[in-house]
Amino acid sequence: MDLLAILDEAVAALKAPLGEDDRSQGWTDDLRREVQEEISISRSVLRRHGSGMVRYLRPRLDEWMEREEIRPGRLQHLSGVQRRLVDARNTV
């Protein structure tokens, strides 16, 4: 799957309001907004300046989720976003 498509999917997932399950997994509205903003910025940089800019992106999603003690659930796939950004950065 294309990196931009993965970022689009992640932003769409984060736009949905948090449910009780999300909150029980550790998500807060502030964290959701921060993660969405971070992904949106990365997506915007790649759209405007091309995939060569991926080497300058410094995703912090895993760090945030670990610090906030997020447990597996609906939004857990977001850790895959960071992995894909790091993989793309290593191949450029």
Side-chain angles (χ1 to χ4, degrees):
M1 183 180 256
D2 177 4
L3 182 57
L4 284 174
I6 290 169
L7 296 176
D8 289 341
E9 185 179 296
V11 168
L14 288 163
K15 282 184 179 181
L18 294 175
E20 286 303 314
D21 287 342
D22 299 323
R23 292 184 192 287
S24 70
Q25 293 154 6
W27 285 91
T28 64
D29 288 326
D30 288 339
L31 178 63
R32 181 184 59 83
R33 279 190 293 273
E34 287 178 34
V35 171
Q36 181 181 1
E37 183 177 316
E38 181 79 11
I39 293 171
S40 293
I41 289 169
S42 296
R43 182 178 65 163
S44 181
V45 166
L46 294 175
R47 278 209 172 103
R48 290 176 190 225
H49 304 289
S51 61
M53 292 298 291
V54 75
R55 73 180 71 132
Y56 300 104
L57 299 176
R58 300 288 179 247
R60 303 173 293 177
L61 305 176
D62 286 347
E63 175 187 322
W64 285 347
M65 288 187 205
E66 184 178 319
R67 183 181 68 225
E68 298 292 330
E69 298 178 358
I70 301 299
R71 292 177 296 287
R74 179 180 73 90
L75 298 173
Q76 186 64 28
H77 75 280
L78 295 175
S79 63
V81 170
Q82 177 163 330
R83 196 169 38 256
R84 292 293 300 265
L85 285 169
V86 169
D87 290 348
R89 186 173 63 206
N90 292 335
T91 61
V92 172

